Amino acid sequence: MVNKLEKKLKNISLNTKIDYKVWSEVKMLLRKEIGETMFRNWILPLELEDVKDETIIFSASSDLVIDRVERFYSERIIYLWKSFNKNLIRIKLYHKFQKDNFHKENYSDTSKKAILEEENFNDNIIFESRLDNKLSFENFIIGPSNELACAAAKRVANFKKISFNPLFLYGGVGLGKTHLLNSIALEIGHNYPNKKVIYMSAEKFMYVFVKSLQSNNAISFKESFRSVDVLLIDDIQFISSKEKTREEFFHTFNELIEKGCQIVLSADKSPNEIKDFDDRLRSRLGWGLVTDIHPTNYKLRLKILKSKISKISAKIPDNVLEFIAHKVKSNVRELEGALNRIIAHSTLVNSKVTIEKTYSILKDILKANEKQLSINDIQKIVANHFSVKISEMLSSRRSRSLVIPRQIAMYLCKELTHFSYPEIGRNFGGRDHTTVIYASNKIENDIKNDSNISEEINIIKAQF
Ligand code: ADP
Ligand code: MG
């Protein structure tokens, strides 16, 4: 008996050691592939908790990290890990400070019909291979702000006679673009199992393309798109950073349109606002339908909350839902986050949720929704992020370690507040408005051309 137990314990520690070793190998490979900044930001914060049967379990203390890894890196981690342990098929990501039942699961379900499987391609080419069954038309709540986008998406998914090609959906973050793209892919997979659908983020498109160039496989890259009936690319604004990728995207796009393939793109801005789109692409987009998703109104937010609550057993009083719908206006992602917190609280504490409790549980979210950022807030956060003093950042010194934070802070002031260029200049040690314009344009360009800067800025923004 004792022997058996000892043996078991020995095995456990042995396995754990192997797993950590594998994880450090996988990390090394990832570091090479994605570069130091991305690695530091998204992979390093992951803690390996366990490897059980077919699942690798990680924890992290930031939602942003979990979201990023889920969307961009989990497939790759599974892929790399598989070369050490073939059985692994999924990753689970836990938020360190949340209870187990709120973890996210990430299945590398390569059997999904609507997805082009990675085995069809060269080893170096990886396609997004995950559809979320929850992000369906059925679960998408319609209101005045999204009804046109949703109707267009449904029509595309049903191959109705008069369709829109390409369909371009745009709108602010967290308003349901990815949800709609995912719904289209699900619906087609369900109704037209023989149609080939590729659904991927623009980041993935670029990654796959660059990989195919590195391995001299540009032809196989092109061919993999040739047999496709529907191409869905999410967050197309990210495609614009590199000339060569843009060219390739444009060629692929034209070829596919000409042979009648349905294309759907999403972005956070309209085609006219995406500066690096060239005119050819813009005019091509004009042949189809360009439609936007607006921020939600109170009624839609309440409807979304009620629909989410109807699918689980937790009981949240109507007045609490109304309170959340009134207060959390920024976007649907945050609305869901707020609701999840309240649900977590009500199931853990097992007591009735009141408005007062809701207020204290959601304090930070409510504050952020009410808060109007000031120039000083932005200066503080940027200075802190770069470990420089505000007084130095505002001074006339021109060392690189100060110029970059200064320019980023100016750019963020312009982007996130309603202050004019001269007002911002005055708050940066009395600088001229042309300096602010220069800084804003420069950083805007850097974001497009340098993924390290754009990641850096995302991290700063996440601190507001
Ligand atoms: P985006 O891609 O525009 O940033 P997402 O599609 O990721 O936004 O949406 C963020 C979250 O909000 C997702 O969980 C999504 O399911 C949810 N969501 C957004 N709009 C709706 C809606 N109209 N009905 C139900 N859920 C929604
Ligand atoms: Mg999205």
Side-chain angles (χ1 to χ4, degrees):
M1 182 76 183
V2 175
N3 253 351
K4 231 178 171 178
L5 192 69
E6 267 176 7
K7 218 169 151 187
K8 209 171 166 189
L9 283 173
K10 214 169 143 192
N11 272 342
I12 290 175
S13 67
L14 200 70
N15 281 341
T16 317
K17 259 190 213 148
I18 295 172
D19 295 333
Y20 279 106
K21 202 152 175 260
V22 171
W23 178 221
S24 71
E25 295 278 335
V26 170
K27 278 199 285 195
M28 236 162 60
L29 294 168
L30 273 173
R31 184 183 223 136
K32 271 193 212 134
E33 282 181 12
I34 65 179
E36 194 57 34
T37 311
M38 307 270 205
F39 179 80
R40 190 163 42 89
N41 293 338
W42 311 123
I43 306 298
L44 218 50
L46 290 180
E47 264 177 48
L48 178 64
E49 295 282 347
D50 204 354
V51 178
K52 258 193 216 145
D53 307 328
E54 304 170 321
T55 311
I56 318 167
I57 303 165
F58 290 109
S59 69
S61 52
S62 140
D63 282 334
L64 196 68
V65 169
I66 290 176
D67 183 60
R68 271 286 149 151
V69 173
E70 236 214 333
R71 285 196 294 153
F72 298 123
Y73 303 114
S74 54
E75 296 295 325
R76 194 62 192 156
I77 295 175
I78 292 169
Y79 181 83
L80 292 171
W81 206 297
K82 271 189 170 169
S83 55
F84 300 94
N85 176 353
K86 280 214 164 358
N87 296 333
L88 287 166
I89 56 165
R90 69 177 75 97
I91 279 183
K92 280 187 191 176
L93 292 158
Y94 287 83
H95 195 293
K96 261 191 200 148
F97 307 115
Q98 280 170 12
K99 274 285 166 193
D100 295 2
N101 49 338
F102 289 95
H103 67 235
K104 299 185 173 180
E105 290 194 8
N106 200 315
Y107 293 86
S108 162
D109 193 345
T110 40
S111 65
K112 293 247 162 69
K113 278 187 193 125
I115 301 295
L116 219 52
E117 291 175 12
E118 68 184 52
E119 285 89 85
N120 293 350
F121 302 96
N122 171 293
D123 264 1
N124 292 319
I125 300 182
I126 295 108
F127 281 81
E128 200 102 13
S129 53
R130 183 170 58 93
L131 282 185
D132 188 336
N133 281 320
K134 288 196 287 305
L135 301 182
S136 62
F137 282 127
E138 215 172 45
N139 291 338
F140 191 82
I141 311 297
I142 299 169
S145 51
N146 61 25
E147 63 187 346
L148 183 61
C150 184
K154 279 186 175 157
R155 179 169 295 192
V156 164
N158 288 317
F159 288 97
K160 288 268 166 60
K161 275 200 184 96
I162 311 163
S163 190
F164 313 105
N165 201 14
L167 172 62
F168 189 99
L169 300 175
Y170 73 94
V173 52
L175 295 181
K177 303 180 294 293
T178 298
H179 190 136
L180 284 179
L181 255 59
N182 199 100
S183 305
I184 296 175
L186 281 178
E187 186 90 355
I188 296 176
H190 188 252
N191 293 340
Y192 305 90
N194 296 328
K195 299 256 181 218
K196 265 193 179 163
V197 180
I198 291 186
Y199 165 63
M200 65 192 344
S201 61
E203 265 170 312
K204 196 65 147 266
F205 180 90
M206 295 198 302
Y207 176 78
V208 173
F209 176 61
V210 171
K211 275 264 160 201
S212 72
L213 285 186
Q214 281 167 0
S215 58
N216 273 331
N217 230 329
I219 298 193
S220 115
F221 175 82
K222 284 209 175 86
E223 292 199 327
S224 47
F225 282 97
R226 202 156 283 157
S227 56
V228 146
D229 298 300
V230 183
L231 175 66
L232 305 135
I233 298 194
D234 206 0
D235 286 324
I236 194 74
Q237 72 272 11
F238 291 128
I239 207 94
S240 53
S241 63
K242 291 210 176 67
E243 181 70 35
K244 215 168 175 190
T245 327
R246 241 162 36 217
E247 259 315 290
E248 187 54 39
F249 172 71
F250 188 68
H251 284 312
T252 311
F253 178 91
N254 273 338
E255 266 177 40
L256 291 179
I257 291 261
E258 263 150 35
K259 71 178 209 40
C261 163
Q262 174 72 52
I263 294 189
V264 185
L265 307 173
S266 86
D268 66 346
K269 304 186 195 68
S270 76
N272 289 333
E273 287 167 298
I274 302 179
K275 289 210 188 78
D276 280 340
F277 267 17
D278 64 14
D279 290 337
R280 294 176 304 171
L281 184 53
R282 264 191 213 120
S283 81
R284 275 277 182 171
L285 290 173
W287 295 5
L289 179 72
V290 175
T291 181
D292 55 346
I293 306 180
H294 299 278
T296 51
N297 61 17
Y298 166 73
K299 232 168 125 183
L300 177 58
R301 289 195 293 276
L302 189 60
K303 225 165 132 188
I304 291 174
L305 290 176
K306 288 198 165 158
S307 133
K308 303 225 176 263
I309 227 61
S310 72
K311 296 190 177 76
I312 52 166
S313 55
K315 283 205 167 48
I316 310 290
D318 276 355
N319 63 348
V320 169
L321 296 181
E322 284 158 15
F323 176 79
I324 300 173
H326 262 302
K327 295 287 185 184
V328 184
K329 300 178 206 156
S330 46
N331 65 56
V332 184
R333 186 170 298 140
E334 199 158 64
L335 189 71
E336 281 181 344
L339 182 65
N340 282 343
R341 251 199 238 176
I342 299 297
I343 295 170
H345 181 86
S346 92
T347 42
L348 293 176
V349 178
N350 210 4
S351 69
K352 199 166 174 255
V353 185
T354 60
I355 301 249
E356 288 71 33
K357 270 193 205 142
T358 305
Y359 199 87
S360 85
I361 296 166
L362 301 181
K363 216 187 257 161
D364 55 329
I365 297 183
L366 299 177
K367 221 170 112 196
N369 270 269
E370 276 162 14
K371 188 167 74 178
Q372 282 295 327
L373 277 175
S374 70
I375 292 179
N376 189 248
D377 293 332
I378 294 175
Q379 289 170 339
K380 256 194 232 157
I381 283 167
V382 174
N384 188 30
H385 178 84
F386 287 101
S387 309
V388 297
K389 288 199 185 113
I390 294 193
S391 58
E392 287 176 329
M393 196 171 79
L394 305 187
S395 74
S396 55
R397 282 177 51 202
R398 299 183 52 86
S399 68
R400 199 178 145 75
S401 61
L402 293 175
V403 170
I404 290 178
R406 187 181 294 141
Q407 289 180 332
I408 288 180
M410 286 181 181
Y411 159 81
L412 287 172
C413 286
K414 190 60 204 152
E415 209 202 50
L416 302 175
T417 72
H418 299 294
F419 292 103
S420 64
Y421 288 122
E423 281 167 316
I424 297 171
R426 274 199 291 282
N427 283 280
F428 275 80
R431 286 180 159 78
D432 191 53
H433 71 281
T434 52
T435 312
V436 185
I437 295 175
Y438 173 81
S440 289
N441 291 341
K442 179 175 180 297
I443 299 298
E444 216 177 305
N445 260 328
D446 287 351
I447 290 174
K448 269 180 236 133
N449 299 321
D450 182 345
S451 57
N452 288 347
I453 294 262
S454 90
E455 289 291 334
E456 198 82 66
I457 289 189
N458 279 339
I459 292 171
I460 298 174
K461 277 188 181 167
Q463 298 170 47
F464 289 121

